[in-house]
Amino acid sequence: MFKWVPNSAKTRSISSFIQRKAGSRKARWGLYIYSAFESVILPVPTDPLLAACVYAAPKNWWKIAIWTAIYSVIGGLIGLALGWFMGDILVSMLHNDRLPFLSSKKFETVSNGFLKHGLLIVLLGAFTPLPFKLVTITAGLFQFGVLPFIIASLIGRSIRFLLVAGLIKYHQNPKIFIFISSIIGIIITLSYMIIGY
């Protein structure tokens, strides 16, 4: 495996900027809070922010990944509670297409899957680019068990974020960082297109 060496002042400047901004404690707290909100409402995945923070502080890669997963699960519990206690209101809003970032067609697809494979849906939703907020709210609507939800979410989110963080840690290369971010973006876009999001 080759080691990337900055070959221009501009590249070194960009690399230094990322490390300076994303390496701060405030940036990490921003990542964790964003991760929680992404599990409830935000449309853009956490992965690029996680990658930037790990690139800036590679020694803490696994801690950053685990805390990101924990906050994501905390946000997921908020989504679960919303679905559980506000189910009737949410269903009514869905049928009238009044919820941002969530279509009634996609909700119906996930709902049908939930009836057959609830635990697997939570696990896959936590790991794959399937919008996790959709899974959390749907789990609440079907009153999915809290403990199985926490366990499945923590496993899926931890594996996903550890993979992203590990790739960045062990490939200290901005080109690979950009490549991974692009691949994640493409996968997310294709997933959204396939499930009609």
Side-chain angles (χ1 to χ4, degrees):
M1 182 61 65
F2 68 92
K3 178 79 173 176
W4 180 80
V5 178
N7 55 9
S8 72
K10 185 175 182 180
T11 304
R12 286 192 297 271
S13 174
I14 292 169
S15 177
S16 175
F17 176 80
I18 292 172
Q19 289 176 331
R20 192 170 61 252
K21 294 296 183 183
S24 70
R25 192 168 177 163
K26 285 183 180 179
R28 285 194 292 277
W29 274 108
L31 165 67
Y32 304 148
I33 292 167
Y34 185 91
S35 181
F37 279 104
E38 187 261 334
S39 297
V40 184
I41 192 168
L42 296 177
V44 179
T46 305
D47 307 67
L49 292 175
L50 170 63
C53 285
V54 171
Y55 177 72
K59 289 182 181 178
N60 298 322
W61 71 277
W62 67 271
K63 289 181 182 177
I64 295 170
I66 292 297
W67 279 110
T68 303
I70 289 169
Y71 274 85
S72 182
V73 174
I74 291 169
L77 287 170
I78 295 170
L80 183 80
L82 282 173
W84 198 303
F85 296 110
M86 300 179 65
D88 293 338
I89 297 169
L90 291 172
V91 169
S92 174
M93 291 174 76
L94 274 166
H95 287 307
N96 295 315
D97 287 324
R98 290 185 183 170
L99 284 179
F101 313 118
L102 190 58
S103 68
S104 55
K105 182 181 176 183
K106 179 181 295 187
F107 178 78
E108 186 179 343
T109 302
V110 175
S111 297
N112 291 336
F114 233 102
L115 290 171
K116 298 178 183 176
H117 314 288
L119 188 63
L120 184 61
I121 294 271
V122 174
L123 187 60
L124 289 175
F127 179 73
T128 66
L130 181 72
F132 191 48
K133 61 189 170 294
L134 180 63
V135 173
T136 65
I137 293 170
T138 307
L141 285 172
F142 287 100
Q143 299 190 344
F144 191 73
V146 175
L147 186 59
F149 176 84
I150 291 172
I151 293 169
S153 297
L154 199 52
I155 290 170
R157 295 265 101 175
S158 295
I159 292 171
R160 173 174 170 165
F161 294 147
L162 282 167
L163 280 172
V164 171
L167 283 169
I168 298 302
K169 154 69 179 172
Y170 292 105
H171 296 284
Q172 280 291 298
N173 184 333
K175 290 180 181 178
I176 292 176
F177 168 75
I178 292 165
F179 175 75
I180 291 169
S181 298
S182 300
I183 291 296
I184 290 168
I186 291 167
I187 291 170
I188 289 162
T189 302
L190 288 174
S191 299
Y192 279 28
M193 289 170 65
I194 290 167
I195 59 180
Y197 193 56

